[in-house]
Amino acid sequence: MKKKISTVRKKAWTWFSRYIRLRDTIAKGVGEYVPCVTCGSMKHWKEQQAGHFIPQAQGNSVRFDERNVHTQCYRCNMNLGGNGPEYYPFMVGEYGEFVIDELKELSRLQKKYTVEELEGMAREYQGRVKEMEAQL
Protein backbone atom coordinates (compact mmCIF):
# COMPACT_ATOMS: atom_id res chain seq x y z
CA MET A 1 0.00 0.00 0.00
CA LYS A 2 1.37 3.40 -1.01
CA LYS A 3 1.84 5.92 1.79
CA LYS A 4 0.13 9.28 1.53
CA ILE A 5 2.53 12.19 1.24
CA SER A 6 0.54 14.16 3.83
CA THR A 7 0.90 11.36 6.40
CA VAL A 8 4.66 11.08 5.88
CA ARG A 9 5.08 14.89 5.87
CA LYS A 10 3.25 15.07 9.21
CA LYS A 11 5.56 12.42 10.69
CA ALA A 12 8.65 14.26 9.40
CA TRP A 13 7.31 17.53 10.85
CA THR A 14 6.59 15.91 14.23
CA TRP A 15 10.21 14.80 14.60
CA PHE A 16 11.61 18.02 13.10
CA SER A 17 9.54 20.12 15.51
CA ARG A 18 10.74 18.09 18.50
CA TYR A 19 14.31 18.48 17.27
CA ILE A 20 13.99 22.28 16.93
CA ARG A 21 12.55 22.68 20.42
CA LEU A 22 15.19 20.41 21.95
CA ARG A 23 17.98 22.15 19.99
CA ASP A 24 16.89 25.50 21.38
CA THR A 25 16.39 24.09 24.88
CA ILE A 26 19.92 22.71 24.99
CA ALA A 27 21.39 25.92 23.50
CA LYS A 28 19.38 28.58 25.33
CA GLY A 29 17.17 26.92 27.88
CA VAL A 30 17.29 26.32 31.59
CA GLY A 31 16.84 22.65 32.36
CA GLU A 32 13.91 21.56 30.21
CA TYR A 33 12.55 25.10 29.87
CA VAL A 34 13.15 27.20 26.79
CA PRO A 35 12.26 30.82 25.93
CA CYS A 36 10.11 31.85 22.99
CA VAL A 37 12.42 33.59 20.50
CA THR A 38 9.92 36.40 19.96
CA CYS A 39 8.51 37.25 23.40
CA GLY A 40 10.85 35.42 25.78
CA SER A 41 8.14 33.51 27.65
CA MET A 42 9.77 30.52 29.31
CA LYS A 43 7.95 27.20 29.12
CA HIS A 44 8.76 23.50 29.09
CA TRP A 45 10.02 22.56 25.62
CA LYS A 46 7.06 20.22 25.11
CA GLU A 47 4.66 23.16 25.65
CA GLN A 48 6.37 25.36 23.06
CA GLN A 49 6.05 25.18 19.28
CA ALA A 50 8.43 25.26 16.34
CA GLY A 51 7.59 28.48 14.50
CA HIS A 52 8.70 29.59 11.06
CA PHE A 53 10.32 32.95 10.36
CA ILE A 54 9.18 32.72 6.74
CA PRO A 55 5.79 31.00 6.70
CA GLN A 56 5.91 27.43 5.48
CA ALA A 57 3.16 28.03 2.93
CA GLN A 58 5.54 30.15 0.85
CA GLY A 59 7.22 27.80 -1.60
CA ASN A 60 7.55 24.88 0.81
CA SER A 61 11.33 25.02 0.32
CA VAL A 62 12.09 26.50 3.76
CA ARG A 63 9.61 24.34 5.69
CA PHE A 64 12.40 22.11 7.05
CA ASP A 65 15.26 24.64 6.96
CA GLU A 66 16.68 24.67 10.50
CA ARG A 67 17.66 28.33 10.18
CA ASN A 68 14.04 29.27 9.48
CA VAL A 69 12.44 27.49 12.44
CA HIS A 70 12.82 28.26 16.14
CA THR A 71 11.02 27.80 19.44
CA GLN A 72 7.96 29.97 19.87
CA CYS A 73 5.08 30.01 22.30
CA TYR A 74 1.56 29.30 21.06
CA ARG A 75 0.56 32.96 21.38
CA CYS A 76 3.37 34.25 19.16
CA ASN A 77 3.26 31.41 16.65
CA MET A 78 -0.50 31.02 16.25
CA ASN A 79 -2.32 34.04 17.68
CA LEU A 80 0.21 36.59 16.39
CA GLY A 81 0.92 34.76 13.11
CA GLY A 82 4.59 34.18 13.93
CA ASN A 83 5.07 37.61 15.54
CA GLY A 84 7.18 38.86 12.62
CA PRO A 85 8.05 42.25 14.13
CA GLU A 86 9.79 40.46 17.00
CA TYR A 87 11.07 37.50 14.97
CA TYR A 88 13.01 39.72 12.56
CA PRO A 89 15.39 41.24 15.17
CA PHE A 90 16.03 37.75 16.55
CA MET A 91 16.98 36.52 13.07
CA VAL A 92 19.28 39.50 12.44
CA GLY A 93 21.04 38.87 15.74
CA GLU A 94 21.23 35.12 15.28
CA TYR A 95 22.19 34.90 11.59
CA GLY A 96 22.54 38.35 10.05
CA GLU A 97 20.94 39.89 6.96
CA PHE A 98 22.74 37.57 4.55
CA VAL A 99 20.94 34.46 5.84
CA ILE A 100 17.61 36.30 5.96
CA ASP A 101 18.08 37.27 2.31
CA GLU A 102 19.06 33.70 1.46
CA LEU A 103 15.95 32.31 3.16
CA LYS A 104 13.79 34.83 1.30
CA GLU A 105 15.29 33.71 -2.01
CA LEU A 106 14.84 30.04 -1.14
CA SER A 107 11.22 30.66 -0.14
CA ARG A 108 10.44 31.69 -3.70
CA LEU A 109 11.34 28.22 -4.94
CA GLN A 110 8.81 25.45 -5.05
CA LYS A 111 9.91 22.25 -3.32
CA LYS A 112 7.98 19.05 -3.82
CA TYR A 113 9.13 16.44 -1.32
CA THR A 114 8.98 12.76 -2.15
CA VAL A 115 7.74 10.13 0.28
CA GLU A 116 11.31 8.79 0.44
CA GLU A 117 12.79 12.22 1.28
CA LEU A 118 10.26 12.78 4.03
CA GLU A 119 10.74 9.29 5.47
CA GLY A 120 14.50 9.91 5.50
CA MET A 121 14.01 13.22 7.31
CA ALA A 122 11.72 11.57 9.85
CA ARG A 123 14.36 8.91 10.57
CA GLU A 124 17.17 11.46 10.76
CA TYR A 125 15.37 13.79 13.16
CA GLN A 126 14.03 10.91 15.24
CA GLY A 127 17.63 9.79 15.76
CA ARG A 128 18.76 13.30 16.68
CA VAL A 129 15.86 13.67 19.12
CA LYS A 130 16.74 10.43 20.87
CA GLU A 131 20.35 11.60 21.32
CA MET A 132 19.28 15.03 22.57
CA GLU A 133 16.71 13.68 25.03
CA ALA A 134 19.55 11.80 26.70
CA GLN A 135 21.28 15.18 27.33
CA LEU A 136 18.40 16.59 29.36
Side-chain angles (χ1 to χ4, degrees), residues 22-104:
L22 280 166
R23 173 199 70 188
D24 294 351
T25 300
I26 290 167
K28 299 176 182 168
V30 177
E32 293 189 6
Y33 288 77
V34 60
C36 170
V37 298
T38 48
C39 76
S41 69
M42 195 77 120
K43 293 183 181 164
H44 192 279
W45 71 269
K46 290 181 179 178
E47 295 175 35
Q48 300 281 44
Q49 297 188 346
H52 292 83
F53 172 62
I54 296 174
Q56 59 185 338
Q58 292 182 357
N60 205 28
S61 59
V62 293
R63 176 188 298 255
F64 293 103
D65 190 315
E66 294 178 20
R67 302 167 302 170
N68 189 49
V69 186
H70 302 86
T71 300
Q72 284 191 298
C73 66
Y74 178 87
R75 179 180 167 270
C76 287
N77 191 33
M78 302 305 286
N79 296 345
L80 299 177
N83 199 358
E86 297 300 323
Y87 212 144
Y88 187 80
F90 165 80
M91 291 294 288
V92 170
E94 191 77 7
Y95 301 105
E97 293 285 347
F98 178 79
V99 169
I100 293 171
D101 291 342
E102 186 178 337
L103 288 169
K104 286 178 184 176

Side-chain angles (χ1 to χ4, degrees), residues 9 55-65 106-113:
R9 183 174 43 245
Q56 59 185 338
Q58 292 182 357
N60 205 28
S61 59
V62 293
R63 176 188 298 255
F64 293 103
D65 190 315
L106 285 171
S107 75
R108 293 183 181 98
L109 303 174
Q110 289 296 320
K111 171 67 176 157
K112 189 169 184 169
Y113 292 99

Side-chain angles (χ1 to χ4, degrees), residues 7-25:
T7 302
V8 182
R9 183 174 43 245
K10 184 176 180 182
K11 182 178 180 183
W13 174 255
T14 297
W15 286 110
F16 180 77
S17 172
R18 287 179 70 91
Y19 165 76
I20 293 296
R21 292 175 286 135
L22 280 166
R23 173 199 70 188
D24 294 351
T25 300

